[in-house]
Amino acid sequence: MRTVQSREPITTGDQEPELNIFVLIDALGWEVIQGRRFLEDLLPYRRPLRTVLGFSSGAIPTILTGRPPAETGHWNLFYFDPKGSPFRWLRYLAFLPPWAMDHRVGRKLLKELGRRFLGLGPLFECCVKPSVLHYFNWVERRNIYGPAGISNSRSIFDELVSKHIPHRVYTYHDMNDHQIVNRALDDITHDRARVLFLYLSEMDMFLHTHVNDGARIGQRLDEYERDLTRLYNAASARCGSVSMTIFSDHGMTPVREHYDLVRDVEALPYHSPSDYLAVYDSTMARFWFFGDKAREAIENILSASPCGRILSDAELSGLGVLFEDRRFGDLVFLLHPGWLIAASDFNGPSWNPAGMHGYHPDDSYSDAVFLSTCRPAFRVATIKDIYQCFKAALNESHEPPCSDETGPR
Ligand SMILES: [Zn+2]
């Protein structure tokens, strides 16, 4: 959980500055807004954006830096790093039977430990079995919405700070999305910020639950429309020139099938962690192998599985997620759109979402959105391209980043 932050002191001057408002609505998919008039009058320049393979942990750093996960180092949250693992001391408890460690109480204790004492940040979740946690490290140790928050790349927040551009960043902590917009509204009347960045996170869980309920989605979008229109109007009342851009990190795909992949793998005569390690995310399974026989047997099981397919290195490279040191897996198995790993490390058995994300970016339900007051002066086709919109907002010019090169859709 994160706090509302003011990254830079808001400076004052004689001239009213232009204001650029960026709003990241987590999981707002193109398929969700298609056919709806959501903010259509205010934001006429609209298009789907191709996401990157993975989850928000990879997609948002890509948005903030304009670089793929293979360059930022931010993809899935857990990566193989037994020497650097903040939980390497857990290996001294390896004599305990797995059931004793992999209990939900153990996971909760480790979550609190990670958050409070191991410097893993307030969003740390123990999404790997505790009995093998000492093999893994955690990517998101820093606040990605602050300077130096992304491991290997400069983000928009580094740019804002280094250029001394007055800005405000609102990310969630103890407020809901409506309250975050209200906080920005309070600030806008007396601030001289040139850039506002709002991260609204609630849509993700809402769509996980209600992706098939068109009426409820409509009501929810109406609430966002009211709030964001108020924000835009207040900004316009303060500045003559305001741009607003709403975008998302990925969409949401209706879940149709479940598959117990863990059961299939654990039925083999090979054992974790001596023969292999596995992390089961909702839509993806990643494996590290310590012997050829285990590798062969698991590859055979996966190849015969109806629920997904093994991604080749060429495909991983093309998707911007091939890591030479294989920290995110010797092998990546991706579920077909609409399939879900039953009782993965990420989804407990008690959670049965109606929608999920993390499928192949070719899946149209995975498309994110780009909605803007202004026609971008450059091609905006993937979430990576949003970074160019940020950069345009940092120009010394106070003109909004518009041109006539591309049209709305
Ligand atoms: Zn989600």
Side-chain angles (χ1 to χ4, degrees):
M1 303 289 273
R2 291 181 176 133
T3 53
V4 170
Q5 309 147 51
S6 175
R7 288 276 145 216
E8 280 281 274
I10 304 303
T11 57
T12 57
D14 295 328
Q15 187 184 358
E16 288 286 342
E18 175 200 341
L19 180 60
N20 294 274
I21 304 173
F22 294 99
V23 184
L24 166 53
I25 302 183
D26 200 311
L28 182 62
W30 180 254
E31 292 280 356
V32 169
I33 65 155
Q34 216 178 5
R36 298 179 185 274
R37 301 206 55 198
F38 176 61
L39 286 165
E40 196 173 62
D41 294 337
L42 181 61
L43 310 174
Y45 299 97
R46 314 160 76 83
R47 63 190 59 229
L49 296 181
R50 182 181 167 87
T51 188
V52 298
L53 177 64
F55 304 93
S56 297
S57 55
I60 294 177
T62 291
I63 290 171
L64 300 178
T65 63
R67 301 193 174 279
E71 291 183 33
T72 63
H74 287 240
W75 190 33
N76 288 315
L77 288 168
F78 284 97
Y79 63 98
F80 182 74
D81 180 20
K83 287 188 180 150
S85 171
F87 295 100
R88 56 192 178 277
W89 49 274
L90 278 174
R91 67 186 188 273
Y92 298 116
L93 302 180
F95 64 89
L96 291 170
W99 61 262
M101 293 190 69
D102 295 341
H103 193 270
R104 68 182 167 79
V105 175
R107 284 187 188 240
K108 188 160 173 37
L109 280 172
L110 288 166
K111 179 178 89 172
E112 295 303 322
L113 201 61
R115 290 183 178 192
R116 293 170 192 274
F117 301 108
L118 298 177
L120 304 184
L123 296 183
F124 174 74
E125 291 283 351
C126 185
C127 297
V128 165
K129 281 183 182 159
S131 57
V132 296
L133 191 57
H134 59 280
Y135 290 94
F136 294 98
N137 209 330
W138 171 256
V139 170
E140 224 170 82
R141 287 174 173 240
R142 298 182 189 149
N143 174 13
I144 62 170
Y145 301 100
I150 313 280
S151 307
N152 300 328
S153 302
R154 281 174 70 79
S155 80
I156 187 62
F157 302 109
D158 294 301
E159 299 288 341
L160 286 164
V161 169
S162 69
K163 293 189 173 181
H164 305 289
I165 294 174
H167 63 282
R168 282 190 179 267
V169 180
Y170 302 87
T171 61
Y172 58 88
H173 178 43
D174 52 354
M175 288 189 210
N176 60 35
D177 290 351
H178 176 68
Q179 291 168 326
I180 287 175
V181 174
N182 278 343
R183 173 64 69 89
L185 267 166
D186 285 346
D187 291 341
I188 221 167
T189 51
H190 56 265
D191 268 2
R192 299 297 176 101
R194 276 186 53 205
V195 174
L196 300 187
F197 181 97
L198 285 75
Y199 172 49
L200 305 182
S201 65
E202 288 186 312
M203 185 61 82
D204 181 66
M205 186 51 74
F206 176 83
L207 289 173
H208 275 304
T209 310
H210 300 296
V211 72
N212 297 317
D213 189 340
R216 284 187 83 147
I217 291 172
Q219 289 166 8
R220 196 63 187 252
L221 289 176
D222 287 347
E223 292 167 15
Y224 279 90
E225 179 160 318
R226 279 196 294 276
D227 278 348
L228 294 168
T229 301
R230 281 167 56 224
L231 183 65
Y232 180 84
N233 289 341
S236 296
R238 196 201 82 187
C239 319
S241 170
V242 176
S243 77
M244 177 181 270
T245 302
I246 294 180
F247 53 94
S248 56
D249 47 352
H250 52 72
M252 188 69 70
T253 304
V255 171
R256 297 183 300 273
E257 306 273 0
H258 296 76
Y259 193 81
D260 196 344
L261 190 68
V262 183
R263 173 202 59 201
D264 287 1
V265 172
E266 293 191 349
L268 292 168
Y270 300 97
H271 302 286
S272 172
S274 54
D275 300 315
Y276 71 93
L277 285 169
V279 171
Y280 299 96
D281 298 316
S282 312
T283 63
M284 195 185 294
R286 297 178 288 131
F287 297 89
W288 295 259
F289 302 109
F290 306 121
D292 290 341
K293 286 189 174 172
R295 178 177 197 128
E296 192 179 331
I298 290 173
E299 281 185 356
N300 286 340
I301 283 281
L302 297 177
S303 298
S305 171
C307 66
R309 64 192 177 89
I310 296 170
L311 298 180
S312 69
D313 280 3
E315 190 163 14
L316 291 170
S317 176
L319 293 166
V321 295
L322 181 65
F323 293 79
E324 284 190 8
D325 62 4
R326 306 287 170 173
R327 78 188 85 154
F328 288 104
D330 294 330
L331 182 152
V332 177
F333 180 78
L334 179 65
L335 266 64
H336 300 311
W339 287 73
L340 195 68
I341 295 178
S344 70
D345 292 318
F346 200 77
N347 305 330
S350 59
W351 195 45
N352 187 20
M356 187 46 70
H357 49 88
Y359 299 107
H360 196 286
D362 284 350
D363 167 37
S364 65
Y365 283 102
S366 296
D367 282 346
V369 303
F370 177 86
L371 315 171
S372 183
T373 48
C374 293
R375 194 177 280 172
F378 33 80
R379 180 176 150 82
V380 179
T382 78
I383 61 170
K384 192 157 67 76
D385 301 328
I386 297 167
Y387 186 69
Q388 293 303 318
C389 300
F390 291 138
K391 293 284 279 184
L394 306 195
N395 285 345
E396 296 308 315
S397 162
H398 282 185
E399 293 301 314
C402 300
S403 85
D404 290 318
E405 289 177 17
T406 56
R409 50 178 289 184

